[in-house]
Amino acid sequence: YNINACLVKLGKVGLFGRAVTRAEGGDILRVRPGGPCYACLTGNPIYHQNDEITDVRRARELGVIPAYVSDEDAHAMVQVGLSTDIAPINNMMVKLALNELSRGIECGISSLIEELTYDYYIWANRRDFQFANWAPFNRNPNRHLTILRWYGVKLKKDSECLECR
Ligand SMILES: [Zn+2]
């Protein structure tokens, strides 16, 4: 929130990225001058569907760790492929950062300026937990959200945001 306050005050661009719930997915917010800020996003329900798991108690509250799993077993959870689940989020953050840094400069990624226009980006690695209702990657007849694809969202500024209104 301190970084967000500085971005808003100084009119700077910033990126906030995270992996959620054992990296079952992740999201990125790009804050640009005049646009929605981090506080606008955290006041938006879309953000809280991916609440960060910081401890066993919170994981149990969110149902990520079922009641029948002992505390000992909860701490021993295997995180198969964790780095490969985090990498897409890192890569997208780097791409967005390069996009912002090269804005106004003719270069090899200039065309992305016209495409990466969203404020918020979301990615799912697996059809687990909050992404369980997303369509299978290989069967998507109705164009539902699927895993392993980036989705962009245009956010509105929160008219009651205490940081950027
Ligand atoms: Zn705001």
Side-chain angles (χ1 to χ4, degrees), residues 10-60:
L10 300 172
K12 298 291 183 181
V13 177
L15 297 171
F16 295 85
R18 64 179 180 158
V20 297
T21 318
R22 289 178 286 136
E24 69 188 45
D27 55 21
I28 302 167
L29 172 70
R30 177 175 51 194
V31 174
R32 304 196 82 239
C37 76
Y38 184 71
C40 290
L41 176 65
T42 58
N44 187 314
I46 195 172
Y47 182 80
H48 294 286
Q49 69 180 347
N50 301 319
D51 270 350
E52 184 65 39
I53 307 299
T54 55
D55 58 31
V56 172
R57 183 188 58 77
R58 184 70 182 136
R60 288 195 188 282

Side-chain angles (χ1 to χ4, degrees), residues 4 8 31 35-42 156-165:
N4 180 61
V8 171
V31 174
C37 76
Y38 184 71
C40 290
L41 176 65
T42 58
K156 289 186 175 158
K157 289 181 69 155
D158 180 350
S159 61
E160 298 182 12
C161 178
L162 297 176
E163 200 61 61
C164 72
R165 66 179 167 168

